[in-house]
Amino acid sequence: FSPDSKVLASGSYDRRIQLWNARSGTTLGPPLAGHSFGTSLMFTPDSKVLASGSSEGTIRLWDAQTGIPLGQPLTGHSGYVFSVACSPDGRVLASGSYDGTIRLWETQTGTPLGQPLTGHTGWVRSVAFSPDGKVLASGSYDRTIRLWHAQTGSPLTPPLTGHSSDVISIVFSPDGKVLASGSYDRTIRLWDAQTWTLLGKPVTGCNNVISLFPVSHAGHGGRVRSVAFSPDGKLLASGFSDRKIRLWDDQTRMLPGQPLTGHSRPVRSVAFSPDGGALASRSDDCTIRLWDAQSGTPLGQPLTGHNREVRSVAFSPDGRVLASGSNDCTIRFWDAQTGTPLGQPLTDHNFWVCFIGFSPDGRVLASGSEDGTIRLWDAQTETPLGQPLTVTLTGFSPLRSRQMAGFWHPDLTTARFDLSSIAFSPDGRVLASGSDDSTIRFWDAQTGTPFDQPVTGDNFCLISFAPIRHADPGSPLELTYGIPNINYPWVKLSSSRFFWLPSQYWADENPTILISNGTLVIVSDRELSMFDVSLVL
């Protein structure tokens, strides 16, 4: 709201800012266009100027009466501007950003005032001036609140600590005697603005909070092709169409280092080794690369041998062997430590090899192909185990724009439903396959014999077995499909928790969705988004 309560300003993902008559609810002129999308809004005290922060790291000033931009965008931040605040006299504008800094600007001219205020080690989510204009407070994802001299930018006190999660909002009381801070730890804390000590106990009771971490525009210039969590859930790896790989810290939701570069074409898939120490990437440049997951340095030379795009990579459970499947219809084995090829390529498939996976004991490799078959291989001798498991059906398979989907080929004489995923049960006894024919099929992993009738439902884009939580080897296995389950517009997080996912995240009919350690990752229309759902699980 404007200070005179006459105007309401709103910023949207449609990349526009709209001014509204706060009394009648009617729009005031056309939308203000110019940002990728606005992330924060603030009126000056006289209600004449509107400041807006944006996802591209700029701030714009607008005439609040006419909607005309005032001067050029204010540039300097290298990431999202999450918060803007105006001093009580209207002369100074403060901005907090994804880049971890706070900047001060002269409101009339847009001139930067001094150097950026540094000290936070995480995103600066909120900034606020005290009513007398002498103090600037900032709240950050590093779980601290910092206090600054508003004129000089020097720190006033050591950081205020106590929150156990990200500080997302701060505000001074109108008389300036109290500072309130809100956090993802579900508490609000009140601080004495004279002594900066905690006033009483934290206010609790905020339980059902889901927060969006807008990483999809931060630090990359391409579309997301693949995502994978490290075994401990602390790192998220993403492969992009700009030929780069990025590692995201699950705690800070920030890029801990520079992108991994080396591929000459889009990166289609990434996979962590079982111990999380190495990362494998496969690309349309027909190569596989290995990286140190902590430092991001390449491990040896690229693995070459495939003469078409590599579709799938998988580490053996002991991390010693890497297997790869390709559009050249072959499967190759590699020494995961040295990158040396092991044995000869497996050439029995007669169409693209889309999925491969090791059994939990590492003795069997399963491969799924768009020739409509699944094959089982002895991972030690690299020889076939039995006959191919045939899943080709008669019918029409519509084209799917999904990360792991196959394609309809009009030159084939028989229509096929495409395999979309394969998974071994935790004990290695059962192999499951998901398909675009809306079925999941179960197979004896030792003999290749199908079990009973297929499970029918939706078009399954991802299947996996839940971990065994009992010791009885005869107990039934539990299979989950779609991790987590999705049914537009709902995402099932648990047996009793559902998340309504806004329409902009359903650009694909079946977005890729993963969850680990309370972080929900969604890839839709090749854009990556992360949500903190820890408080609702």
Side-chain angles (χ1 to χ4, degrees):
F1 281 96
S2 61
D4 61 11
S5 300
K6 294 180 180 180
V7 178
L8 177 71
S10 60
S12 168
Y13 281 103
D14 64 7
R15 305 184 180 187
R16 297 182 295 180
I17 298 166
Q18 182 66 60
L19 299 178
W20 310 79
N21 184 308
R23 290 183 173 84
S24 66
T26 57
T27 57
L28 298 174
L32 315 184
H35 284 315
S36 58
F37 65 84
T39 55
S40 54
L41 298 169
M42 171 62 69
F43 284 94
T44 55
D46 60 7
S47 300
K48 294 182 178 179
V49 176
L50 176 70
S52 62
S54 75
S55 61
E56 72 263 24
T58 64
I59 302 156
R60 285 181 178 262
L61 300 176
W62 313 82
D63 185 306
Q65 302 300 315
T66 65
I68 297 174
L70 301 175
Q72 297 298 311
L74 313 186
T75 60
H77 285 297
S78 59
Y80 276 68
V81 177
F82 285 117
S83 180
V84 289
C86 198
S87 63
D89 61 9
R91 296 180 180 179
V92 178
L93 187 72
S95 56
S97 168
Y98 169 93
D99 62 16
T101 70
I102 301 147
R103 290 177 177 262
L104 300 177
W105 316 81
E106 187 178 89
T107 307
Q108 295 299 317
T109 64
T111 305
L113 298 174
Q115 296 299 310
L117 312 187
T118 60
H120 283 298
T121 57
W123 305 354
V124 179
R125 187 59 186 267
S126 183
V127 290
F129 282 96
S130 61
D132 62 9
K134 294 180 179 180
V135 178
L136 176 68
S138 57
S140 168
Y141 278 16
D142 64 10
R143 307 179 182 183
T144 70
I145 301 155
R146 288 182 176 262
L147 303 162
W148 315 84
H149 191 291
Q151 300 300 316
T152 66
S154 58
L156 287 179
T157 67
L160 307 186
T161 60
H163 283 295
S164 60
S165 188
D166 313 332
V167 179
I168 60 166
S169 182
I170 54 173
V171 63
F172 282 94
S173 61
D175 61 8
K177 294 181 179 180
V178 178
L179 176 71
S181 58
S183 166
Y184 284 143
D185 64 8
R186 313 186 199 188
T187 70
I188 299 167
R189 291 175 180 258
L190 303 178
W191 311 83
D192 186 306
Q194 300 299 315
T195 64
W196 304 114
T197 55
L198 189 63
L199 295 172
K201 294 182 178 180
V203 180
T204 61
C206 308
N207 293 317
N208 298 302
V209 179
I210 293 178
S211 48
L212 168 65
F213 300 100
V215 298
S216 58
H217 301 279
H220 71 79
R223 296 294 185 93
V224 182
R225 296 293 182 178
S226 177
V227 289
F229 275 106
S230 60
D232 61 7
K234 293 182 178 179
L235 288 176
L236 176 73
S238 53
F240 288 84
S241 61
D242 64 1
R243 307 182 298 278
K244 298 177 182 178
I245 302 154
R246 291 165 175 87
L247 296 172
W248 308 86
D249 187 300
D250 182 56
Q251 298 300 313
T252 64
R253 287 96 186 181
M254 297 182 71
L255 295 166
Q258 296 298 312
L260 314 185
T261 59
H263 284 296
S264 60
R265 295 192 64 189
V267 178
R268 292 286 181 174
S269 180
V270 288
F272 282 94
S273 61
D275 63 3
L279 179 72
S281 60
R282 56 99 177 172
S283 165
D284 284 353
D285 62 11
C286 305
T287 70
I288 303 161
R289 289 179 178 260
L290 296 173
W291 315 82
D292 185 299
Q294 298 303 315
S295 66
T297 56
L299 298 175
Q301 298 298 310
L303 312 187
T304 59
H306 288 296
N307 55 37
R308 291 286 305 277
E309 297 90 340
V310 181
R311 294 289 296 272
S312 182
V313 292
F315 282 95
S316 62
D318 60 12
R320 295 180 180 179
V321 177
L322 181 71
S324 58
S326 168
N327 281 359
D328 64 9
C329 308
T330 70
I331 301 163
R332 291 177 178 263
F333 292 92
W334 316 81
D335 186 305
Q337 302 298 316
T338 65
T340 306
L342 300 175
Q344 297 299 312
L346 310 184
T347 59
D348 290 31
H349 282 297
N350 57 36
F351 212 66
W352 302 344
V353 180
C354 303
F355 311 103
I356 54 175
F358 283 92
S359 62
D361 61 9
R363 295 180 180 178
V364 178
L365 179 77
S367 59
S369 168
E370 293 202 16
D371 62 11
T373 67
I374 299 169
R375 290 179 178 265
L376 301 177
W377 312 84
D378 185 307
Q380 303 298 317
T381 65
E382 302 176 11
T383 55
L385 296 174
Q387 296 300 308
L389 316 184
T390 303
V391 293
T392 303
L393 302 174
T394 301
F396 178 74
S397 175
L399 179 66
R400 300 292 182 189
S401 56
R402 294 197 305 248
Q403 177 192 359
M404 296 166 53
F407 297 89
W408 166 253
H409 300 279
D411 59 324
L412 300 178
T413 57
T414 302
R416 286 199 328 274
F417 289 96
D418 299 328
L419 283 172
S420 59
S421 186
I422 56 176
F424 278 99
S425 63
D427 61 5
R429 293 183 293 144
V430 178
L431 180 71
S433 61
S435 169
D436 275 355
D437 68 351
S438 301
T439 67
I440 298 175
R441 294 173 180 266
F442 298 91
W443 316 81
D444 186 307
Q446 301 300 315
T447 66
T449 305
F451 288 140
D452 302 323
Q453 296 299 313
V455 174
T456 60
D458 202 348
N459 295 316
F460 299 104
C461 60
L462 181 62
I463 59 175
S464 74
F465 284 89
I468 295 178
R469 296 184 175 88
H470 45 69
D472 181 4
S475 299
L477 296 170
E478 177 186 357
L479 184 79
T480 61
Y481 42 87
I483 305 181
N485 292 347
I486 56 177
N487 185 16
Y488 177 83
W490 297 95
V491 177
K492 182 178 180 181
L493 301 176
S494 66
S495 60
S496 61
R497 296 285 186 170
F498 292 82
F499 173 29
W500 178 80
L501 189 62
S503 59
Q504 62 261 35
Y505 300 102
W506 292 95
D508 289 343
E509 180 179 349
N510 288 296
T512 298
I513 300 182
L514 303 174
I515 189 169
S516 177
N517 288 354
T519 297
L520 180 72
V521 176
I522 297 173
V523 179
S524 179
D525 193 27
R526 307 301 186 188
E527 291 290 340
L528 173 67
S529 299
M530 295 172 66
F531 296 83
D532 183 345
V533 295
S534 59
L535 300 187
V536 298
L537 294 179

